[in-house]
Amino acid sequence: LGRMKPVIVVHGGAGRIFKEREEGCCAGVIRAALRGYGLLKQGGSAVDAVEEAVRSMEDDPHFNAGCGSVLNEKGEVEMDAIIMDGKNLDSGAVSAVKCIANPIKLARLVMEKTKHVLLTDHGAHLFAQAMGIPEIPGEKLITERSWERWKKNLEPDSNPEEFQKDLGTVGAVAIDSEGNVACATSTGGLSNKLTGRVGDTACIGSGGYADNHSGATSTTGHGESIMKVVLARLILYHMEQGMSPEVAADTALDYMKTRVGGLGGVIVVNKAGEWAARFSTKQMSWATVKDDNLHYGIYAGEKHIKSVDEVVASERKGF
């Protein structure tokens, strides 16, 4: 049996990335991709790799997931996350969870320790307790930036829609040396959203989907639009019809734009290990590692390539 070359692709959210945040977002997706790839290189599973990559971004305040999540109308953090294993279509998700550092870990436990796919709010909270997941004070997840933005959005003449363009859901897809694929996605959702709002991230087929028969994808962008077209599953459908990851992604994003006026971004890997990172928004931070080469970018058409060894060496110097 020919061993697959492992591949990981990560995104740090589609939208508008403010100049002063570009460097941090770029460094964050690169770090996440390298961590996931490190596990894959040691023979680790795609599921482990995507969980690790997403956990790394949840812990990074640059992204709207885990620490750094945006606040709902009441000024609280409510987070959604999903993980899926392409081998047997096992999936676990949580929605509207508060006071935990890594929703993706909880999603993984839902997948492995229950017969369910999705737990929400209070039930997810009870399950986290039962699993011994430490609770952290809600304010530990709130950054100065999220707080400032929340206050701005409460002003009578504010337009929260303006701010939605800077979204920052995080996600990862991977294929391991056994040829198994997986996806993981995590988010703080929409700024000033209604309490209890659940977006695409926690919804299987919208926020992500993984199937060894075709590939894996993780999405980001306007959640309600993504749900209407079931974006993640739509991309895999196009690949099943013979499209490459790039064409499948563009076709699905284009459909979402023309049909419901929604913008977003996606990362894809197919069962042959071909990948794509595509978006209809102005920007999306993304990074990929394949064949020991790191590819990354933020703007449309932008792609930097470095060898992994080079990047790891410069990180040790503390660049």
Side-chain angles (χ1 to χ4, degrees), residues 35-116:
R35 283 195 183 166
Y37 190 68
L39 288 181
L40 292 170
K41 279 291 272 195
Q42 295 157 17
S45 71
V47 173
D48 285 341
V50 295
E51 181 190 8
E52 176 58 29
V54 165
R55 197 188 56 74
S56 160
M57 291 184 284
E58 285 176 341
D59 291 343
D60 185 330
H62 280 94
F63 303 109
N64 172 19
C67 177
S69 288
V70 298
L71 311 185
N72 68 11
E73 57 175 358
K74 283 189 176 163
E76 301 168 328
V77 166
E78 285 188 310
M79 301 166 291
D80 301 338
I82 193 168
I83 193 163
M84 188 165 182
D85 183 345
K87 196 192 312 192
N88 44 19
L89 306 188
D90 274 352
S91 182
V94 292
S95 73
V97 296
K98 302 183 179 91
C99 302
I100 63 164
N102 298 111
I104 200 65
K105 278 184 160 166
L106 191 57
R108 172 97 187 244
L109 288 168
V110 171
M111 174 168 82
E112 291 182 347
K113 306 286 186 198
T114 77
K115 291 189 170 73
H116 308 311

Side-chain angles (χ1 to χ4, degrees), residues 279 281-284 298-303:
F279 46 100
T281 52
K282 227 176 138 166
Q283 290 149 289
M284 179 178 81
I298 285 190
Y299 291 92
E302 173 191 26
K303 185 198 277 190

Side-chain angles (χ1 to χ4, degrees), residues 191-202:
S191 206
N192 296 62
K193 62 189 178 177
L194 293 181
T195 305
R197 177 261 189 187
V198 177
D200 64 294
T201 300

Side-chain angles (χ1 to χ4, degrees), residues 8 19 44 49 113 118 126 134 142 147 156 208 266 271 277:
I8 187 160
K19 267 281 179 268
K113 306 286 186 198
L118 172 59
L126 293 176
I142 298 176
W147 183 247
V266 300
K271 63 181 179 184

Side-chain angles (χ1 to χ4, degrees), residues 175-195:
I175 187 164
D176 60 29
S177 54
E178 306 286 311
N180 292 315
V181 298
C183 70
T185 314
S186 180
T187 190
L190 287 180
S191 206
N192 296 62
K193 62 189 178 177
L194 293 181
T195 305

Side-chain angles (χ1 to χ4, degrees), residues 159-231:
N159 175 13
E161 292 299 306
E162 214 7 74
F163 286 104
Q164 302 310 3
K165 297 197 177 92
D166 173 26
L167 289 162
T169 297
V170 306
V173 295
I175 187 164
D176 60 29
S177 54
E178 306 286 311
N180 292 315
V181 298
C183 70
T185 314
S186 180
T187 190
L190 287 180
S191 206
N192 296 62
K193 62 189 178 177
L194 293 181
T195 305
R197 177 261 189 187
V198 177
D200 64 294
T201 300
C203 301
I204 190 169
S206 294
Y209 203 81
D211 183 348
N212 282 5
H213 294 166
S214 44
T217 180
S218 168
T219 67
T220 167
H222 184 246
E224 281 71 14
S225 299
I226 291 171
M227 289 158 98
K228 287 172 187 176
V229 302
V230 200
L231 185 63

